[in-house]
Amino acid sequence: MLETPARRRRHARLIATLTKLIGDCAHAAGAVYGPIADAAPEQDGVAVSLLPIVVLSAAAGPRLDAARQEDAGRWPDAVAREETEGQRTFEARCAAAEADQVLADAVLGADEDGPRAPGTVALPTASQSADMALPAISADFLASFQEDPEAAIEMVKTVTATGEFTVGQILDDAVDTAVLAGLMILRGLENPTDPSTAAETCLLAARQFALVVMVASADVAA
């Protein structure tokens, strides 16, 4: 069996594409700030180009999708292993969710043979609860990682010690969440009207993509 590749190799094309997008965001913002900086002090109006920002807004998503597909093609064994681990830990997550649901039903007065107690609401199924848990954990990880990466890594170790999730699942979900946030920032630039605001927003997306690079490269030792 092949050894599990380091995360920065497993996601190498994604990381490389993100770094290029960071540069492209800076370039697009420069198409606004550069002409302003070059203009004569007495000049009132300055012609700037919003085209690089518009093009980047449309192209970023497909570029990242292609990068993800290329990474999957380069590491088919790792992809298969990740899918297997996800199925195994899903059973553990469902078991934990079912235990929580049994307890909550008892507290809320639910009865399998009768209607739910007045004033209560139906709880998520076990699989729904398990599916909801991972995004919440990855969101907490991202928030912590931006403040204190070491503390965030320790949180991952604590969570994975229960066997309900793997390190890869948490970090990969965090990557997906952060990528989506960056893409949503750029999507707001499809029809920019104010050049300065568009440039600042583009740089905000670059900051988000830089966060993704750090998370995608993170390896958590046992």
Side-chain angles (χ1 to χ4, degrees), residues 12 14-15 24 33 39 42 53 58 72 82 85 97 100-101 108 114 119 126 129 131 164 169 182 216 218 221:
L14 176 65
I15 293 171
D24 290 345
Y33 292 130
E42 65 274 10
I53 292 178
E82 290 162 6
E85 290 176 347
D100 290 341
Q101 185 165 338
L108 293 175
S129 296
D131 287 342
E164 296 179 26
Q169 283 175 306

Side-chain angles (χ1 to χ4, degrees), residues 2 79 101 198:
L2 297 177
V79 172
Q101 185 165 338

Side-chain angles (χ1 to χ4, degrees), residues 1-220:
M1 178 182 294
L2 297 177
E3 293 184 1
T4 301
R7 284 180 56 77
R8 63 178 52 86
R9 292 202 65 198
R10 166 69 179 84
H11 302 295
R13 183 53 58 191
L14 176 65
I15 293 171
T17 301
L18 285 164
T19 58
K20 290 180 181 178
L21 284 174
I22 292 169
D24 290 345
C25 285
H27 173 76
V32 173
Y33 292 130
I36 295 174
D38 293 338
E42 65 274 10
Q43 184 175 341
D44 291 332
V46 179
V48 300
S49 176
L50 290 173
L51 181 59
I53 292 178
V54 174
V55 171
L56 182 61
S57 173
R63 287 170 62 181
L64 289 172
D65 283 337
R68 184 183 297 279
Q69 292 172 5
E70 185 173 338
D71 278 330
R74 293 178 68 199
W75 300 100
D77 291 339
V79 172
R81 182 163 45 246
E82 290 162 6
E83 292 176 349
T84 299
E85 290 176 347
Q87 292 172 358
R88 184 176 67 246
T89 58
F90 184 76
E91 292 301 321
R93 298 200 303 273
C94 282
E98 286 170 349
D100 290 341
Q101 185 165 338
V102 169
L103 176 60
D105 280 346
V107 173
L108 293 175
D111 186 349
E112 293 183 357
D113 298 323
R116 186 173 296 275
T120 64
V121 295
L123 294 172
T125 65
S127 60
Q128 289 171 337
S129 296
D131 287 342
M132 289 186 292
L134 183 57
I137 292 171
S138 64
D140 288 344
F141 168 79
L142 282 173
S144 177
F145 191 85
Q146 295 179 75
E147 297 293 331
D148 188 342
E150 292 185 1
I153 295 301
E154 289 303 315
M155 183 196 78
V156 168
K157 292 180 180 179
T158 299
V159 172
T160 55
T162 65
E164 296 179 26
F165 300 96
T166 66
V167 169
Q169 283 175 306
I170 296 174
L171 295 184
D172 287 349
D173 194 77
V175 165
D176 290 346
T177 299
V179 165
L180 180 60
L183 290 176
M184 292 303 294
I185 292 172
L186 288 181
R187 283 194 64 177
L189 298 175
E190 292 176 342
N191 297 293
T193 54
D194 181 78
S196 294
T197 300
E200 292 167 4
T201 302
C202 206
L203 293 176
L204 180 60
R207 177 183 176 185
Q208 186 67 27
F209 291 144
L211 170 64
V212 181
V213 169
M214 290 187 289
V215 175
S217 302
D219 277 306
V220 180

